[in-house]
Amino acid sequence: MDKRSGVSGTVPFSVCFSVGAVLFSSHAGGGFASGNQAFQNFVTSGWLGPFSAVFCMLIFTLTIKEAMFMYNSRRLTSYKQLFETLYHPFGRIEIFFEVFFYIMVLMAVGAAVATAAATLNAYFPFGGASYYWYVVAVGTAVMFCTIFGAGLVRKASTIMGLGILISAVAIFVAGIFKAPHLAREFAVSYASDGFSKLPRAVWIAFNYAGFQCVVIPTMIVCGTPLTSRRACARSMRISFALNAVALALSVIMLTGWAPVFTALPKGATIPTLTSCRAMDIPWLSGTYTVCLLLCLISTGVTTVFGFTARFEKMKIFSGIESAPVRCAFVSGAIIAAAMTVSMAGLTNIIKYGYGYCGYLAIAIVVVPFLTVGAYKNRRFVREHPEYDGREGSSVETAVTAAAGD
């Protein structure tokens, strides 16, 4: 029996929330926690920034919803098959996602591990080589969470996601109330720019959603319990709420503190930290450190897991019977390779690396899934109504019937 064959059309809320939390944890990485992503993409859009951020998360979660349902309903086994199904009848186009995925994994993991190690070293130094020991420690923690399958990733991401959400909201709300001239910043932006930055704000939303789609390989594996269209939609509604609130609050807070951190040397590299220090609230810096580390590790875990799931079944590892050992080899290799990319620096990775990958992803991931993918999924549900997820429908019936044929 297929591993998804016994799942009812009605999926428990806890499962939907868990999968939604994985997506939130994936999004809430180093760029998010540092504030660098929000500043580079949304704060520079002025008063339209928070609206652009919410629109971006809508695009992102709708894309993931279509990808997960296509993967689960056709009982696919890899993201390569997913993109072959999406692009059918046109062949070989899926190779573009492979290129996008490899580049993004290297950048995201490199930035996450390096920044987490640097943060730990800044707070708890114990010698000249302490940074490198922290690199090993963070890399090992990421590898451990990725080698024991999707179940552990879902549980770890749910816990880290809740920690990130609580600490991030505390920081952003405190920052909003402490911002010296928040209302004036938005008023000046509206008066000087009006809607002139609207095209840029829309484009940035698509671009940001595009490079976040590097998590698709992870989400389709962690989302296998969501066997119906409604379950996928419910999970992504939860994730949209989590992501949109956190990102919008971040943009609002950073807009209010922009005159402060942009006036300091390298203050815009980690603008959230610069803002926290300027607020002069003792507990806030500690909370921020916890949030940053959780964000960095969560991104490393979810991104590396998607890469590991793709390559641990290759023939080169066929001689290794233990799945955790195979995954450990793949995870270790990608973490080691990603460290070389991290030398470019967080700002350059986000501004140029993520930016150009986002352009590619708009064309090969976001637009195809929101148009062709959505059309194919709606047609599939019309032909197989049991996958709609209405009360009383069962995916088990469809799978059993298919097996009988």
Side-chain angles (χ1 to χ4, degrees), residues 3 85 96 137 182 243 284 302 329 346 371:
K3 65 181 179 180
T85 303
F96 289 105
L182 179 62
N243 282 291
L284 208 56
T302 52
F329 273 106
L346 183 62
T371 54

Side-chain angles (χ1 to χ4, degrees), residues 31-65:
F32 169 82
S34 68
N36 201 303
Q37 279 181 184
F39 174 66
Q40 296 284 351
N41 291 281
F42 301 110
V43 175
T44 52
S45 295
W47 71 275
L48 290 169
F51 300 99
S52 178
V54 173
F55 181 53
C56 164
M57 289 298 101
L58 178 63
I59 297 168
F60 181 41
T61 51
L62 286 175
T63 302
I64 301 299
K65 181 196 75 170

Side-chain angles (χ1 to χ4, degrees), residues 19-360:
V19 175
V22 172
L23 186 60
F24 173 69
S25 298
S26 302
H27 166 229
F32 169 82
S34 68
N36 201 303
Q37 279 181 184
F39 174 66
Q40 296 284 351
N41 291 281
F42 301 110
V43 175
T44 52
S45 295
W47 71 275
L48 290 169
F51 300 99
S52 178
V54 173
F55 181 53
C56 164
M57 289 298 101
L58 178 63
I59 297 168
F60 181 41
T61 51
L62 286 175
T63 302
I64 301 299
K65 181 196 75 170
E66 299 298 343
M68 286 197 303
F69 180 66
M70 181 175 286
Y71 182 83
N72 291 336
S73 61
R74 278 71 161 186
R75 302 196 297 280
L76 306 176
T77 58
S78 70
Y79 70 77
K80 184 175 184 293
Q81 292 182 357
L82 171 66
F83 282 91
E84 287 174 344
T85 303
L86 173 65
Y87 296 136
H88 182 78
F90 304 102
R92 307 304 300 170
I93 304 179
E94 67 276 0
I95 191 65
F96 289 105
F97 181 79
E98 296 273 6
V99 173
F100 160 77
F101 181 59
Y102 300 158
I103 295 173
M104 281 297 301
V105 166
L106 289 173
M107 290 190 297
V109 176
V113 174
T115 308
T119 302
L120 287 169
N121 188 53
Y123 280 89
F124 309 106
F126 59 87
S130 58
Y131 168 78
Y132 301 102
W133 284 110
Y134 280 128
V135 168
V136 173
V138 173
T140 301
V142 170
M143 184 172 67
F144 178 81
C145 290
T146 59
I147 64 179
F148 294 106
L152 180 60
V153 172
R154 275 196 299 269
K155 292 176 182 177
S157 295
T158 300
I159 295 171
M160 288 188 288
L162 289 173
I164 293 167
L165 183 64
I166 293 171
S167 55
V169 168
I171 292 168
F172 299 150
V173 170
I176 289 171
F177 279 101
K178 292 279 289 185
H181 305 293
L182 179 62
R184 189 182 69 181
E185 290 297 322
F186 279 96
V188 170
S189 173
Y190 179 78
S192 61
D193 300 328
F195 288 89
S196 63
K197 291 186 177 180
L198 181 60
R200 181 187 184 278
V202 172
W203 176 250
I204 286 295
F206 273 93
N207 180 267
Y208 189 97
F211 68 72
Q212 293 293 340
C213 285
V214 67
V215 303
I216 283 180
T218 297
M219 292 308 303
I220 58 177
V221 176
C222 292
T224 50
L226 308 178
T227 48
S228 70
R229 181 181 66 86
R230 288 174 181 264
C232 291
R234 188 183 192 191
S235 179
M236 289 302 98
R237 282 196 294 269
I238 294 170
S239 193
F240 167 73
L242 296 175
N243 282 291
V245 168
L247 185 58
L249 287 176
S250 171
V251 173
I252 294 171
M253 188 272 283
L254 290 174
T255 300
W257 287 94
V260 175
F261 62 75
T262 54
L264 298 174
K266 297 185 178 180
T269 301
I270 309 182
T272 302
L273 176 60
T274 307
S275 302
C276 285
R277 289 173 173 172
M279 292 176 208
D280 196 25
I281 303 177
W283 60 266
L284 208 56
S285 294
T287 302
Y288 172 76
T289 303
V290 173
C291 177
L292 177 63
L293 290 174
L294 287 173
C295 287
L296 293 167
I297 294 174
S298 69
T299 289
V301 169
T302 52
T303 307
V304 171
F305 177 72
F307 189 91
T308 302
R310 168 70 173 86
F311 286 98
E312 60 100 4
K313 296 178 182 178
M314 291 180 65
K315 291 183 179 180
I316 192 174
F317 301 111
S318 60
I320 304 175
E321 295 184 0
S322 172
V325 174
R326 291 197 305 269
C327 292
F329 273 106
V330 178
S331 298
I334 188 59
I335 290 171
M339 289 309 302
T340 60
V341 178
S342 67
M343 301 302 176
L346 183 62
T347 297
N348 287 331
I349 288 175
I350 291 172
K351 186 174 182 179
Y352 299 108
Y354 286 10
Y356 289 123
C357 283
Y359 300 149
L360 176 61

Side-chain angles (χ1 to χ4, degrees), residues 368-379:
F369 268 117
L370 294 182
T371 54
V372 176
Y375 169 77
K376 288 185 175 181
N377 283 339
R378 285 196 297 269
R379 186 178 64 183

